[in-house]
Amino acid sequence: MKIVVAGGDGFCGWPTALYLSKQGHEVAIVDNLVRRKYDEELRSNSVTPIYSLKERVAKWKEKTGKEIKTYIGDLNHYDFLAEVFRQTQPDAFVHFAEQRSAPYSMIDREHAVYTQQNNVIGNLNVLYAIKEFAPSCHLIKLGTMGEYGTPNIDIEEGYIEIEHKGRKDKLPFPKQPGSFYHLSKVHDSHNIMLACRIWGIRATDLNQGVVYGLHTEETKLDPVLANRFDYDGVFGTALNRFLIQSATGHDITVYGSGGQTRGFLNITDTIRCVEIAAENPADAGEFRVFNQFTESFSVKELAEKVQKVSREKGLDPEIKSIENPRVEAEDHYYNAVNTKLRDLGLEPNLLTDDVLREILETALEHKDRVIKENVLPTVTWK
Ligand code: NAD
C-alpha cells in the first residue's frame, strides 16, 4: 500500500513509519518538525538523543535498503498538502500530525488558539485533500480516549444505543473532554463524521489511550533510529514521566489522590493498531471508531509499579502526592470497551515488569540529559 504518515517525525509516528516500511509498504512522512520547536520554546528535550529526520531516513535506507520519502511542511498550508497528495496518491493517510499535549494547550490563550487552529484546520485540510485528490484513500486519524472524559457509565466504542421517550437510535457517544487539546480532537471527530456522511470518505478514528514505552524492533537497529522519550511536565505522559523521575532520584509525583484512571497501551501496540486499521479499511462513507488501549490503570497504580521495579534496581523513589494542576475528577468510575481492535487481531503487549525495566534502563542510560527543573508541572488549568 502507499501510506502517508503525517507526524512521522514524532513519538508515535516515527516508529510507525519504520514498521510500515519494513512490512513492505511505500511510506512517505509528512511533518513540519514543530515538535522539535516546542522543545526549544520550553527549553526541554527528549531524554534519548534524537537525530534529524534527514539523518533518520538515511540511516533506515542504509540499514534496510528501504526508502522513506519525506515532505517537510504544514498540514495547514493547503497548497503544500495538495502537492503531497498529487505526488503520493495514498491508499491510507495516517494522521498523527497534531499538537498533542493537554498542558501545552492550557498554557494561555495563545497556546489554546494555536492548538485548536493547528489541529482542527490541519485535519479539515486533510479531509478536503482526500475529497479532491484521493477519494478512496482511508483516513486513519489519531484521536484520544480523553474525548470521552470520565462519565459515570461504561464508555462504548464511538457510538451508544439510546432509548428516549419511546424511540431508539445509535448516536455518537457523549464527549466531555478536559482540555482545549482534547476538545480539538472532538472537533476533528465531528468534522470527519460529516465528511464521511456527505462525501463518502472512509475514516477510522483511533481513540488512543496514553502511550508508554519507546523502543521497537526497528528503532533498536541503530542509535540514529532512536525514538524520542518525553519526560517534562508538559509533554511527558504519566508512566514515562514516573520512570524518569525514579531514574534521576526524584520523587514520583502523583497529581492529587492518584485515583484518575485511564486507558494505556504500549507503543508497539500503537503501531500494530494502525497496521490493523490499514489492512481492514473502513467502508466508503463509514466513520468507524476504535478505542485503542489495552489496559486501564489508575495513576497511583502506575506509580506503585514503577516504585517496585525501581527498588529491584537499587533505586528507592518515594511516591508523593502533589497538588493537582488540572481540573479533573480524581476518584471516578471508569470502564471503557476496547474489543474492536482485538476482534481484528490485536494481541496486546501488556505492562509487565520486564517492559518497565527496559524503559527504566533507557532512562538510567541517558539520565544526565534530564533537565530537572522541567519535571514538575508548571501549567495549571485555572
Ligand atoms: P508528537 O508531538 O511526538 O508527534 C506529532 C508530530 O506531528 C510531530 O513530529 C510534529 O512536528 C508534527 N506536527 C504537528 N502539527 C503539525 C502540522 N500542522 N503539520 C505537520 N506536522 C505537524 O506526538 P505523538 O505522541 O507522536 O502523538 C501522535 C498523535 O497521537 C497525536 O495526534 C496525539 O494527539 C495522538 N495521541 C498520542 C498519545 C500519546 O500518549 N502520545 C495518546 C493519545 C493520542
Side-chain angles (χ1 to χ4, degrees), residues 6-14 30-36 38 73-76 80 95-101 114 118-119 122 141-145 181 185 206-212 228 230 235 237 265 267 270:
D9 189 45
F11 167 61
C12 298
W14 173 242
V30 176
D31 204 299
N32 64 354
L33 310 181
V34 71
R35 177 68 190 88
R36 294 171 187 258
Y38 305 148
D74 193 325
L75 299 187
N76 284 273
F80 160 76
H95 182 7
F96 289 108
E98 297 201 333
Q99 191 299 97
R100 70 106 171 125
S101 155
Y114 163 76
N118 185 62
N119 296 1
K141 167 68 171 51
L142 271 291
T144 159
M145 286 300 292
Y181 152 70
K185 296 286 190 182
L206 296 173
N207 281 341
Q208 179 165 250
V210 184
V211 185
Y212 59 82
R228 60 174 307 124
D230 297 312
F235 274 92
T237 52
L265 78 163
I267 183 82
T270 292

Side-chain angles (χ1 to χ4, degrees), residues 46-265:
S46 157
V47 176
T48 43
I50 47 168
Y51 288 77
S52 70
L53 183 56
K54 212 170 158 191
E55 290 167 308
R56 284 174 148 186
V57 293
K59 181 57 77 180
W60 180 246
K61 176 106 195 264
E62 181 193 315
K63 286 276 169 191
T64 64
K66 292 185 187 294
E67 188 166 354
I68 296 180
K69 273 205 179 145
T70 56
Y71 295 87
I72 306 302
D74 193 325
L75 299 187
N76 284 273
H77 298 156
Y78 192 69
D79 291 348
F80 160 76
L81 185 62
E83 193 50 36
V84 170
F85 268 83
R86 276 193 211 98
Q87 289 191 23
T88 56
Q89 285 297 312
D91 301 303
F93 188 97
V94 184
H95 182 7
F96 289 108
E98 297 201 333
Q99 191 299 97
R100 70 106 171 125
S101 155
Y104 190 87
S105 76
M106 302 304 281
I107 292 175
D108 56 16
R109 187 194 66 83
E110 280 80 5
H111 288 81
V113 169
Y114 163 76
T115 299
Q116 294 215 350
Q117 263 174 357
N118 185 62
N119 296 1
V120 179
I121 310 300
N123 182 63
L124 195 53
N125 279 340
V126 170
L127 292 170
Y128 268 93
I130 290 176
K131 173 179 185 267
E132 199 173 348
F133 302 106
S136 60
C137 171
H138 178 204
L139 172 62
I140 301 172
K141 167 68 171 51
L142 271 291
T144 159
M145 286 300 292
E147 291 185 37
Y148 300 117
T150 52
N152 200 28
I153 57 172
D154 287 1
I155 295 171
E156 303 298 328
E157 293 197 71
Y159 298 90
I160 184 168
E161 285 227 3
I162 293 185
E163 192 174 336
H164 181 62
K165 296 185 178 168
R167 300 182 67 82
K168 269 192 199 164
D169 204 350
K170 196 176 168 199
L171 295 169
F173 196 91
K175 307 285 175 78
Q176 304 181 87
S179 74
F180 289 120
Y181 152 70
H182 289 104
L183 265 160
S184 74
K185 296 286 190 182
V186 174
H187 304 325
D188 286 345
S189 296
H190 288 153
N191 285 342
I192 302 168
M193 197 186 304
L194 180 73
C196 289
R197 196 163 73 228
I198 61 177
W199 300 331
I201 284 177
R202 56 183 87 235
T204 303
D205 204 1
L206 296 173
N207 281 341
Q208 179 165 250
V210 184
V211 185
Y212 59 82
L214 72 157
H215 300 303
T216 63
E217 264 180 46
E218 294 71 50
T219 64
K220 281 196 272 197
L221 283 177
D222 192 283
V224 176
L225 301 176
N227 198 8
R228 60 174 307 124
F229 187 178
D230 297 312
Y231 64 91
D232 62 50
V234 177
F235 274 92
T237 52
L239 184 68
N240 280 3
R241 205 173 61 232
F242 293 163
L243 286 158
I244 291 287
Q245 289 185 318
S246 166
T248 53
H250 200 288
D251 296 329
I252 297 174
T253 52
V254 164
Y255 298 166
S257 73
Q260 305 91 317
T261 302
R262 301 286 183 268
F264 288 81
L265 78 163

Side-chain angles (χ1 to χ4, degrees), residues 7-24:
D9 189 45
F11 167 61
C12 298
W14 173 242
T16 301
L18 294 185
Y19 176 79
L20 293 173
S21 168
K22 187 186 83 178
Q23 298 297 88

